Amino acid sequence: MSATTAGTWTEEDFINTIRTGTNPAGRELVPEMPWMTYRNMTDDELRALWAYIETVPAKEAGTR
């Protein structure tokens, strides 16, 4: 995720963002982000999701 500001997030930042809908910079997630669906996942489930996301190679901006 290094092509975005999310590339600087920690696992804790990710979990807090999913739980609250507010990213580390204090911005609310857009309604299209399904955070409300995921916020009730267990910490272990969110850690597993974070571990997977960390394995996905970042894409250059503009190639998504």
Side-chain angles (χ1 to χ4, degrees):
M1 294 187 354
S2 60
T4 67
T5 56
T8 63
W9 291 10
T10 65
E11 180 182 83
E12 183 178 354
D13 291 336
F14 172 75
I15 292 172
N16 287 335
T17 298
I18 296 299
R19 294 261 190 259
T20 66
T22 303
N23 72 18
R27 290 186 170 164
E28 290 185 18
L29 298 179
V30 295
E32 293 79 18
M33 295 296 292
W35 71 272
M36 290 187 78
T37 301
Y38 298 120
R39 71 180 174 178
N40 295 318
M41 294 175 87
T42 67
D43 286 347
D44 285 342
E45 290 169 329
L46 289 173
R47 283 186 195 103
L49 184 56
W50 174 256
Y52 168 72
I53 290 169
E54 288 287 271
T55 69
V56 178
K59 290 189 175 187
E60 294 293 325
T63 61
R64 298 180 182 154

